[in-house]
Amino acid sequence: MIQCPRGTRDFLPDEMEKRRFYENKLRHTAGTFGFREVETPIFEDAELFILRSGPNVLKELYAFKDKGDREIALRPEMTAPAIRMFVNGMSNDPKPIKIFYFGQCFRYERPQSGRYREFFQFGAELIGSATPETDAEVISMAAAMIRNLGLKEYKIRIGHIGVLRQKIADAGVPKERAAEVLQKLDKKLYDEARPLLEDMNVDSDAIDDIFSLTETVGGVEVLDRVPGEAGDWLRQVVAYLNAMGVVDVEIDLGVVRGLDYYTGMVFEAEAPSLGAEKQICGGGSYTLSELFGGEKVFSTGFAIGFDRILLAMEKEGQVYEPKGIDAYVLSVSDDVRMKAAEIVAGLRAQGISADVDIMGRKMAKALKYASSIRARYAVIVGAKELAEGSVTLRDMTSGEQTLVPVDSLASVIRQ
Amino acid sequence: MIQCPRGTRDFLPDEMEKRRFYENKLRHTAGTFGFREVETPIFEDAELFILRSGPNVLKELYAFKDKGDREIALRPEMTAPAIRMFVNGMSNDPKPIKIFYFGQCFRYERPQSGRYREFFQFGAELIGSATPETDAEVISMAAAMIRNLGLKEYKIRIGHIGVLRQKIADAGVPKERAAEVLQKLDKKLYDEARPLLEDMNVDSDAIDDIFSLTETVGGVEVLDRVPGEAGDWLRQVVAYLNAMGVVDVEIDLGVVRGLDYYTGMVFEAEAPSLGAEKQICGGGSYTLSELFGGEKVFSTGFAIGFDRILLAMEKEGQVYEPKGIDAYVLSVSDDVRMKAAEIVAGLRAQGISADVDIMGRKMAKALKYASSIRARYAVIVGAKELAEGSVTLRDMTSGEQTLVPVDSLASVIRQ
């Protein structure tokens, strides 16, 4: 028996209905913030992702040569494609540009809880503006999305990559080796960061200072320890967030994010219920467009791991109830089957979700099926009732049956 | 500058909004027919598609080995994945099972008008029932979809693969060579079909008879020329279709469909405005599940080429007007910017789509931007008006301005 490939999933009707429901909540929230949806191809030139993330990304890429010998790759994320699209086709649009996207991404890695080889991301980019308000706008949308999905326990942590970059530069880390150090600090691998820093002749006090900075967590007051522009910037971001009603954020100067292209504010959201793989959202301000052949343009964006946030909601006990259909039409005898077809078509034309027996089942079996597909009503078409222009409407929950004229069937069901 | 790969497309906001609008019309129509959405992975074991379509499919497949040395392929269509999914996870569900899906498919072929390497298909399968009503149910949904999208000129042609199969068997074509002949007839390549049939010792009159059958087109009366079960079956399909109000169908015994797995009724829809590539929908009844390791189960399904049907609607002059946002909030002076942030957050929380100036623009420039993003209203926040709890609401179409209390802003905008 052929199965779906390892690390991928089929979504059956109940699961799919739930996913679309929450996907549309994200889409709706993005709409209220004035973000507009875009879509990019499932695969891109592999080069695009190497430019964004460095050659190491190849290890996890689904990369292959197409029949024209082009090196292409299934997208592992959607920020690079979105910015490529901006460079190709939107660079002259009035700024700021607010876009979002939702879709499959692919990473060849070991499947584990909440991690798949085909996974779903929601993301947004605000392109062409670099102000504290820009950062607040983006963080507030991420917060609204998490809140609107209904997740109860989450934490949003905001940092500034400039603070740590300045600190390690002041400590004597050469510019070209900064990324190495930041990657260790991103994962809080202090045991590995220390010999690395010692090797660069950073003295022990400075190292302790750097480590302590990455553990600086708390309210806006911790910014008192951060002199200069970065501290002022974050203070303003938090002030705007508070004005917009987003008060549940924390300053965390240990938020590093793994990648080189971030320029200022960085943030993450996590759901503690998920344990080790608790990050559900990450983003920040960056420039990427110049790597893809465009002008340098400041952007702020984020991505939400859709599978993980759904998992977190599940762990909190959130249950989605599938809707079922409005009506199931069945015939008492064969001579009314054409009439049943006419009735179901009439209901559908009026926007009612309706199904009809197509297997010639007897009433008891047909009602059992109607119940299995969660029909609210059964419409029982019989010759006797039809003679008077009526059908029997059965409430599938209560079992109550009433005679309803065919003409008013739709309006009764709609009530 | 990196571009998107050949034969693929970026969908910018206006285009994307239009596509989602029509996609949701399809989704809504499917819902009224009691079909439920499913989703399968973007890639599958390549074997799945070879089992369905034969080894020739490899020429057009995006197939590659993953890092675990599995031969996988981007899906070229979604019927095989849907039936694989049914075999793996739905085979014990109450029958009939009605599912639909929408998504990207991939074929490595020469890009041309309405044909892309990454293209979008909508499809539906009704699994586990084989009656004329089943076929009518599926055709009527395809018809409703085309109609609900708003396409004006289209033609639905219904045939029965059994008629032609019987005819060529009676003429002496050996069973194992039937597919060869049918493929020629599918494409109306009579010049190539004739020598092939002669080679199988089919006499000239029988060949003429076969060709004439494939050109039998017309109303239900042409079925008089089709004796036996297949004719009776199609007559019933048409009767049910008529009962459901679907009267604009034609019988066309030349509808062959290219593939072996069809078992009975086959149908196609075309949009004449598209010229040579005019097919927008195709389907029929089939069995596939046994090829994938399941029991043999009869199904009827179809797929709609989403890109092509949109192109046909465009050619008919159908225009989609993008919606824009409800309100754009801007500040007259810097001292009210926090208040502007508070106001925009309040509007959004009430479900109004609202944007806010984040670039500190002067009024004239901010209004120009608001107009570029098609805001219905500008909300002008000034210190003087705020002192009285009000803001200025500007109708962006008429230019009319009124003072509105902040408390009632949402309800005024919603009117």
Side-chain angles (χ1 to χ4, degrees):
Chain A
M1 206 184 279
I2 299 185
Q3 306 285 342
C4 61
R6 191 165 139 82
T8 70
R9 292 160 291 169
D10 289 327
F11 300 108
L12 305 190
D14 284 355
E15 177 73 8
M16 192 65 204
E17 187 178 317
K18 170 180 135 178
R19 291 175 71 91
R20 282 278 184 234
F21 176 78
Y22 290 117
E23 177 192 328
N24 282 329
K25 282 207 168 197
L26 292 177
R27 194 170 274 129
H28 176 76
T29 303
T32 64
F33 276 75
F35 280 73
R36 300 189 67 203
E37 191 169 6
V38 295
E39 188 159 33
T40 60
I42 288 287
F43 57 77
E44 299 271 355
D45 283 354
E47 181 68 12
L48 183 71
F49 303 113
I50 297 169
L51 283 173
R52 172 189 178 260
S53 312
N56 268 339
V57 77
L58 274 169
K59 278 186 303 192
E60 292 192 341
L61 273 189
Y62 278 91
F64 60 100
K65 286 204 161 143
D66 75 6
K67 293 181 204 296
D69 221 30
R70 299 171 195 87
E71 187 74 33
I72 60 180
L74 304 187
R75 61 189 183 200
E77 53 87 28
M78 289 187 280
T79 299
I83 297 300
R84 178 198 54 66
M85 166 193 235
F86 158 75
V87 170
N88 294 160
M90 303 180 80
S91 59
N92 293 322
D93 288 4
K95 310 282 177 315
I97 294 171
K98 299 169 103 178
I99 54 176
F100 77 91
Y101 42 79
F102 177 83
Q104 295 93 333
C105 295
F106 306 86
R107 251 176 234 174
Y108 194 86
E109 58 178 355
R110 221 185 138 68
Q112 47 183 299
S113 172
R115 278 184 108 96
Y116 302 95
R117 289 184 176 171
E118 179 183 55
F119 57 98
F120 289 74
Q121 270 200 353
F122 177 95
E125 316 295 337
L126 200 168
I127 304 170
S129 178
T131 61
E133 285 148 293
T134 305
D135 292 350
E137 175 80 350
V138 168
I139 298 169
S140 76
M141 182 160 91
M145 289 185 157
I146 297 170
R147 207 170 46 229
N148 291 349
L149 283 178
L151 187 70
K152 286 182 211 86
E153 271 207 83
Y154 61 90
K155 213 193 257 185
I156 297 176
R157 297 173 296 114
I158 306 175
H160 195 297
I161 193 67
V163 179
L164 195 58
R165 284 220 181 107
Q166 189 61 51
K167 191 88 175 177
I168 63 175
D170 291 350
V173 172
K175 210 172 169 201
E176 65 280 9
R177 299 198 65 186
E180 249 178 287
V181 175
L182 290 173
Q183 269 157 31
K184 299 296 179 199
L185 296 176
D186 180 27
K187 299 192 175 119
K188 308 262 194 257
L189 299 170
Y190 299 120
D191 289 351
E192 297 179 25
R194 185 173 292 275
L196 201 63
L197 286 161
E198 283 168 352
D199 184 51
M200 298 174 199
N201 297 318
V202 177
D203 71 43
S204 179
D205 283 356
I207 294 177
D208 290 343
D209 243 28
I210 291 168
F211 290 0
S212 132
L213 183 68
T214 68
E215 301 206 294
T216 302
V217 178
V220 76
E221 72 285 351
V222 303
L223 291 174
D224 296 347
R225 285 184 250 164
V226 184
E229 278 179 35
D232 289 343
W233 186 281
L234 284 190
R235 252 185 295 270
Q236 283 194 68
V237 170
V238 172
Y240 278 112
L241 281 172
N242 290 344
M244 291 191 280
V246 182
V247 292
D248 51 356
V249 294
E250 210 174 63
I251 299 294
D252 180 349
L253 298 173
V255 178
V256 178
R257 311 284 305 145
L259 293 160
D260 261 0
Y261 62 85
Y262 286 103
T263 52
M265 184 280 296
V266 283
F267 76 107
E268 290 178 350
E270 61 190 39
S273 66
L274 292 180
E277 300 288 338
K278 65 188 173 184
Q279 197 188 313
I280 50 174
C281 172
S285 57
Y286 63 89
T287 70
L288 262 181
S289 46
E290 72 276 21
L291 292 181
F292 306 152
E295 284 175 42
K296 181 167 174 166
V297 175
F298 283 91
S299 302
T300 306
F302 67 89
I304 287 180
F306 189 62
D307 304 298
R308 280 215 209 155
I309 205 166
L310 290 190
L311 188 62
M313 287 155 60
E314 211 172 274
K315 295 214 177 202
E316 285 187 356
Q318 217 181 113
V319 176
Y320 174 82
E321 284 297 337
K323 297 275 179 294
I325 63 165
D326 295 323
Y328 186 78
V329 181
L330 58 101
S331 310
V332 174
S333 52
D334 282 346
D335 54 334
V336 296
R337 297 185 69 75
M338 287 289 162
K339 192 67 191 174
E342 189 187 321
I343 288 170
V344 77
L347 292 176
R348 289 164 176 171
Q350 292 175 79
I352 286 173
S353 62
D355 202 352
V356 61
D357 171 44
I358 52 175
M359 296 178 85
R361 280 176 171 148
K362 298 257 180 289
M363 179 130 51
K365 246 187 136 176
L367 284 175
K368 200 175 154 206
Y369 177 78
S371 157
S372 81
I373 60 169
R374 301 188 201 90
R376 278 171 54 227
Y377 290 102
V379 176
I380 303 167
V381 182
K384 211 177 64 187
E385 295 80 9
L386 263 188
E388 289 158 27
S390 290
V391 290
T392 305
L393 188 67
R394 180 190 174 94
D395 183 311
M396 291 295 291
T397 316
S398 68
E400 200 185 327
Q401 299 197 161
T402 44
L403 265 186
V404 176
V406 173
D407 292 346
S408 50
L409 193 56
S411 57
V412 174
I413 289 171
R414 213 189 291 282
Q415 269 161 21
Chain B
M1 207 185 275
I2 299 185
Q3 306 286 340
C4 60
R6 193 164 137 82
T8 70
R9 292 160 291 170
D10 289 327
F11 300 108
L12 306 191
D14 284 356
E15 178 72 8
M16 192 63 205
E17 187 178 318
K18 170 179 136 179
R19 292 175 71 91
R20 282 279 184 232
F21 176 78
Y22 290 117
E23 177 193 330
N24 281 330
K25 281 206 169 200
L26 292 177
R27 193 169 275 131
H28 176 77
T29 303
T32 64
F33 276 75
F35 281 73
R36 300 189 68 204
E37 190 168 7
V38 296
E39 188 157 35
T40 60
I42 288 287
F43 57 78
E44 298 270 355
D45 281 356
E47 181 68 12
L48 184 72
F49 303 112
I50 296 169
L51 283 173
R52 170 191 180 259
S53 312
N56 267 338
V57 77
L58 273 169
K59 279 185 303 192
E60 292 191 344
L61 274 189
Y62 277 91
F64 60 101
K65 286 205 162 142
D66 76 5
K67 293 180 205 295
D69 220 33
R70 300 170 193 89
E71 187 75 29
I72 59 179
L74 305 188
R75 62 190 183 199
E77 52 86 31
M78 288 187 281
T79 299
I83 297 300
R84 176 198 53 68
M85 166 193 233
F86 159 74
V87 170
N88 294 158
M90 304 180 79
S91 60
N92 293 323
D93 288 5
K95 310 282 176 312
I97 294 170
K98 300 168 102 179
I99 54 175
F100 77 90
Y101 42 80
F102 177 82
Q104 295 94 330
C105 295
F106 307 86
R107 252 175 232 174
Y108 194 85
E109 59 178 355
R110 221 184 138 67
Q112 46 183 298
S113 171
R115 278 184 107 94
Y116 302 94
R117 289 183 175 171
E118 180 184 54
F119 57 98
F120 289 74
Q121 271 200 352
F122 177 95
E125 316 294 336
L126 200 167
I127 303 169
S129 178
T131 62
E133 286 149 292
T134 305
D135 292 349
E137 175 81 350
V138 168
I139 298 170
S140 76
M141 182 160 90
M145 287 184 158
I146 296 171
R147 209 170 45 230
N148 291 350
L149 284 177
L151 187 70
K152 286 182 211 85
E153 273 206 82
Y154 62 89
K155 216 192 256 185
I156 297 177
R157 298 174 298 113
I158 306 175
H160 194 298
I161 194 68
V163 180
L164 196 58
R165 285 220 181 109
Q166 189 61 50
K167 191 86 174 180
I168 63 174
D170 291 350
V173 172
K175 210 174 167 199
E176 65 280 8
R177 300 197 63 186
E180 249 177 286
V181 175
L182 290 173
Q183 267 157 30
K184 299 295 179 198
L185 296 175
D186 181 26
K187 298 192 176 121
K188 307 265 194 257
L189 298 171
Y190 299 121
D191 290 351
E192 297 178 24
R194 185 173 292 274
L196 201 64
L197 287 160
E198 283 168 352
D199 185 52
M200 298 174 199
N201 296 318
V202 178
D203 71 43
S204 179
D205 282 357
I207 292 178
D208 289 343
D209 245 27
I210 291 169
F211 289 0
S212 132
L213 183 70
T214 66
E215 300 206 294
T216 301
V217 177
V220 75
E221 72 284 352
V222 304
L223 291 175
D224 296 347
R225 285 184 249 165
V226 184
E229 277 179 36
D232 289 344
W233 186 281
L234 284 191
R235 252 186 295 272
Q236 283 194 67
V237 171
V238 172
Y240 278 112
L241 281 172
N242 290 344
M244 290 191 280
V246 182
V247 292
D248 52 354
V249 294
E250 210 174 63
I251 299 295
D252 181 348
L253 298 173
V255 178
V256 178
R257 312 284 306 148
L259 293 161
D260 261 1
Y261 62 84
Y262 286 104
T263 52
M265 183 280 294
V266 283
F267 76 107
E268 291 179 350
E270 61 191 39
S273 66
L274 292 180
E277 299 288 341
K278 66 188 172 185
Q279 198 188 312
I280 50 174
C281 172
S285 57
Y286 64 89
T287 68
L288 261 182
S289 45
E290 71 277 22
L291 292 181
F292 305 152
E295 284 176 42
K296 181 169 175 166
V297 175
F298 283 90
S299 303
T300 307
F302 68 89
I304 286 179
F306 189 62
D307 303 298
R308 278 213 209 157
I309 205 164
L310 290 190
L311 188 61
M313 287 156 61
E314 211 173 276
K315 294 213 179 204
E316 286 186 355
Q318 219 182 112
V319 175
Y320 174 82
E321 285 297 337
K323 299 273 180 295
I325 62 164
D326 295 323
Y328 187 78
V329 181
L330 58 101
S331 310
V332 174
S333 52
D334 282 346
D335 55 332
V336 295
R337 297 186 69 76
M338 287 289 162
K339 191 67 191 177
E342 187 187 321
I343 289 171
V344 78
L347 292 175
R348 289 165 175 171
Q350 292 176 79
I352 285 172
S353 61
D355 201 352
V356 61
D357 171 45
I358 53 175
M359 295 178 83
R361 281 176 170 146
K362 296 259 181 286
M363 178 132 51
K365 247 187 136 177
L367 285 175
K368 202 176 152 203
Y369 176 79
S371 158
S372 80
I373 60 169
R374 300 189 202 90
R376 278 170 55 226
Y377 290 102
V379 176
I380 303 167
V381 182
K384 211 177 63 186
E385 295 79 10
L386 264 188
E388 289 158 28
S390 291
V391 290
T392 305
L393 188 67
R394 180 190 175 94
D395 183 313
M396 291 296 290
T397 316
S398 68
E400 202 185 325
Q401 300 197 163
T402 44
L403 264 187
V404 176
V406 173
D407 291 347
S408 51
L409 193 55
S411 57
V412 173
I413 288 172
R414 214 190 292 279
Q415 268 163 22

